[in-house]
Amino acid sequence: MKDTSSLPVCIIGAGSSGVTAAKALREQGVAFDCYEVGSDIGGMWRYQNDNGMSSAYRSLHIDTSRRNLSYSDFPIPSHYPDFLSHFEVIRYLEDYANHFQVRQNIRFKTRVERVEREPGGTWRVTLDDGESKLYRAVLVANGHLWDPRWARFPGEFSGTSLHAHDYKTPEPFVGRNVLVVGIGNSAVDIAVDVCKQAKSTYISTRRSAWIMPKYIMGYPSDRWSSFLGSKLKLPTRVVRSVMKHLMGLAVGNQERFGVPRPQHAIWREHATLSQELLPYAGHGWIKIKPNVKQLRGSEVLFDDGTEAPIDTIIYATGYKTTFPFIDKKLFAVEDGKVDLYRRVLVPHAPGLYMVGLVQPIGPTIPLVEIQGQWVAHALSGRMRLPERNAMDKEIAAHQRELEKRYVGSARYTLEVDFREYAAQMRNDMRTGKAGV
């Protein structure tokens, strides 16, 4: 393999992952170009982003509280609220990018059309204007919440269907009977938003979810879990079990509000964070239904045998993880598996890094910052990577842990435990040698 060290690095995407990866490379003296299809930074957090990929809706607020959200060396100012709106997240990301002077390396309104591996270990990146450039490595940071996954139900529906990705405001649903499919954070946010305008609002869920309030005894819930995990050093499973009891003290039994108790333990799946769902369900504004059994024109039949007149179905059923500029033979997330060493590096394609392709238990922004630092250490030569067989062993061990820990679902393919994962990555950088 020829020496490629003189070539720069390519970053695809300038959202919260791309800008912190850019900052990390800059600090390590690694030359790079960053391409962003939109006209500004921010990715999914830029409401109505002209890159066409943002899933942000008008009322969106982040679910991680201010103290836990920040990049490590750029705290969010204290005058911001506990839970930032997408407008405030964007303002913070803009301040971060400007402070660390990464904008000058970002080429906006530029789409990457193809990423191809060249003989000798280089990477050819082709842009939408036909320009083609060689790089020694490619960091893919374009996000994974933009290609909607739809649920499929028997029968035909005569009303309007849309995915949560395309939901923006509740005004189009005034006086309509609305069904939201799903009970994750976006589903619940949208149902609460819509129910104030709609004639009736339903949530359909296959196995329900644990509903965690955003505040417990006046403090953000994640500050309680941070205290239990970071200060008391309790393992994640114990932390989440304790949080379940605190949740019970704060809101009581969620079944009283019509939200079924999940059959799975709270540590086996993400809790849904909402301060408003249970009160709105308790007031009858939102009705919880089981899975959809059949679509019947203007009505929907549920698994419990009940029917409801429905005008609009909003599918809050998640996203497919796709990379249209990469050949699937080179890399793809399929069959509930993703082969990435340390959830970042493609072992059979050295030089291809996936930054931000994680679904953490804990905050995302500080975690993608650590990923960016890890990649920068590898590309600057400050950290040595293991051989291929060691990478494969690490990937297999992680997959076994996922299967043991979480409810079986494609949703958990990208799952990581913040504390465990961050400790691994930091230890790799501290020792200068990535491990297994």
Side-chain angles (χ1 to χ4, degrees):
M1 184 177 293
K2 67 180 181 181
D3 182 19
T4 63
S5 59
S6 62
L7 292 174
V9 171
C10 172
I11 302 175
I12 303 173
S16 60
S17 298
V19 294
T20 194
K23 181 247 188 186
L25 291 178
R26 193 172 188 274
E27 289 180 337
Q28 294 297 330
V30 177
F32 68 91
D33 298 320
C34 179
Y35 300 107
E36 166 57 45
V37 68
S39 59
D40 210 335
I41 69 164
M44 69 158 286
W45 289 106
R46 186 168 292 281
Y47 179 58
Q48 296 182 325
N49 195 330
D50 59 6
N51 69 6
M53 298 168 67
S54 175
S55 56
Y57 37 93
R58 177 61 181 79
S59 61
L60 177 64
H61 281 69
I62 202 161
D63 290 326
T64 302
S65 68
R66 184 187 70 245
R67 289 191 183 182
N68 292 325
L69 178 65
S70 303
Y71 295 113
S72 63
D73 53 1
F74 197 75
I76 297 174
S78 60
H79 65 263
Y80 279 74
D82 287 332
F83 296 96
L84 278 63
S85 71
H86 54 80
F87 295 115
E88 291 159 332
V89 173
I90 280 294
R91 195 180 313 144
Y92 171 67
L93 293 177
E94 289 174 339
D95 290 344
Y96 177 85
N98 293 336
H99 180 79
F100 292 107
Q101 301 178 332
V102 298
R103 279 184 180 273
Q104 62 209 44
N105 293 90
I106 303 173
R107 184 166 159 184
F108 294 105
K109 296 185 178 180
T110 304
R111 182 184 301 276
V112 171
E113 296 289 350
R114 289 193 308 280
V115 171
E116 301 166 293
R117 195 180 184 194
E118 294 277 295
T122 60
W123 292 86
R124 182 169 297 279
V125 174
T126 303
L127 307 177
D128 54 0
D129 63 359
E131 182 182 0
S132 178
K133 297 184 69 174
L134 284 179
Y135 293 95
R136 66 182 175 107
V138 175
L139 279 60
V140 179
N142 69 316
H144 59 275
L145 300 176
W146 60 271
D147 189 2
R149 179 190 292 121
W150 295 76
R152 302 297 177 189
F153 300 118
E156 298 291 334
F157 180 58
S158 60
T160 303
S161 298
L162 69 151
H163 194 275
H165 177 76
D166 298 310
Y167 175 84
K168 300 303 175 188
T169 65
E171 282 74 21
F173 309 98
V174 173
R176 300 181 69 82
N177 299 302
V178 179
L179 170 64
V180 180
V181 178
I183 198 168
N185 290 326
S186 294
V188 167
D189 280 356
I190 290 171
V192 168
D193 209 24
V194 163
C195 77
K196 303 164 190 176
Q197 305 280 351
K199 181 178 180 180
S200 63
T201 304
Y202 300 86
I203 285 178
S204 169
T205 171
R206 287 180 298 167
R207 56 175 178 255
S208 194
W210 295 99
I211 309 301
M212 179 76 69
K214 281 192 168 184
Y215 288 93
I216 295 177
M217 288 180 269
Y219 291 92
S221 297
D222 63 351
R223 285 176 60 181
W224 288 96
S225 56
S226 293
F227 171 77
L228 293 168
S230 300
K231 300 297 183 182
L232 299 186
K233 307 297 182 184
L234 298 177
T236 299
R237 185 182 297 191
V238 174
V239 169
R240 299 187 80 179
S241 297
V242 172
M243 291 300 295
K244 174 185 169 184
H245 292 292
L246 290 176
M247 178 176 70
L249 289 173
V251 300
N253 180 0
Q254 66 184 47
E255 289 181 290
R256 282 208 68 256
F257 300 88
V259 183
R261 177 188 176 93
Q263 295 300 306
H264 53 270
I266 193 170
W267 52 267
R268 296 205 69 204
E269 193 167 36
H270 276 294
T272 293
L273 201 65
S274 176
Q275 195 72 21
E276 299 173 293
L277 175 63
L278 297 184
Y280 274 96
H283 284 80
W285 288 78
I286 298 172
K287 299 176 179 64
I288 311 299
K289 292 287 187 179
N291 197 38
V292 172
K293 185 173 184 178
Q294 188 178 35
L295 305 176
R296 295 181 170 180
S298 61
E299 294 189 335
V300 172
L301 174 67
F302 299 97
D303 277 349
D304 62 358
T306 61
E307 292 180 300
I310 300 296
D311 302 307
T312 301
I313 301 178
I314 302 174
Y315 288 86
T317 46
Y319 295 84
K320 296 178 287 185
T321 306
T322 55
F323 305 95
F325 45 82
I326 300 177
D327 190 318
K328 288 186 177 182
K329 294 179 181 178
L330 186 62
F331 178 77
V333 178
E334 293 179 331
D335 302 322
K337 294 184 67 177
V338 55
D339 293 332
L340 289 173
Y341 173 69
R342 285 288 195 255
R343 323 293 72 77
V344 177
L345 174 63
V346 182
H348 64 270
L352 183 59
Y353 298 85
M354 316 302 289
V355 182
L357 192 57
V358 286
Q359 182 83 24
I361 298 174
T364 300
I365 284 179
L367 197 61
V368 297
E369 178 189 24
I370 295 170
Q371 285 189 324
Q373 293 167 347
W374 189 92
V375 173
H377 272 66
L379 292 175
S380 66
R382 293 187 61 185
M383 182 184 71
R384 183 161 55 90
L385 297 172
E387 298 296 325
R388 169 71 188 275
N389 63 340
M391 292 187 187
D392 291 340
K393 288 180 181 178
E394 192 266 358
I395 292 168
H398 177 71
Q399 186 64 36
R400 288 193 297 270
E401 182 62 25
L402 286 181
E403 293 169 355
K404 180 174 66 175
R405 184 178 293 194
Y406 302 111
V407 174
S409 171
R411 182 183 178 192
Y412 294 92
T413 300
L414 307 178
E415 197 76 14
V416 293
D417 183 302
F418 182 97
R419 291 170 59 204
E420 295 174 3
Y421 181 55
Q424 290 174 337
M425 303 289 271
R426 286 170 174 149
N427 185 65
D428 290 347
M429 289 186 283
R430 184 176 62 254
T431 61
K433 180 181 179 182
V436 177

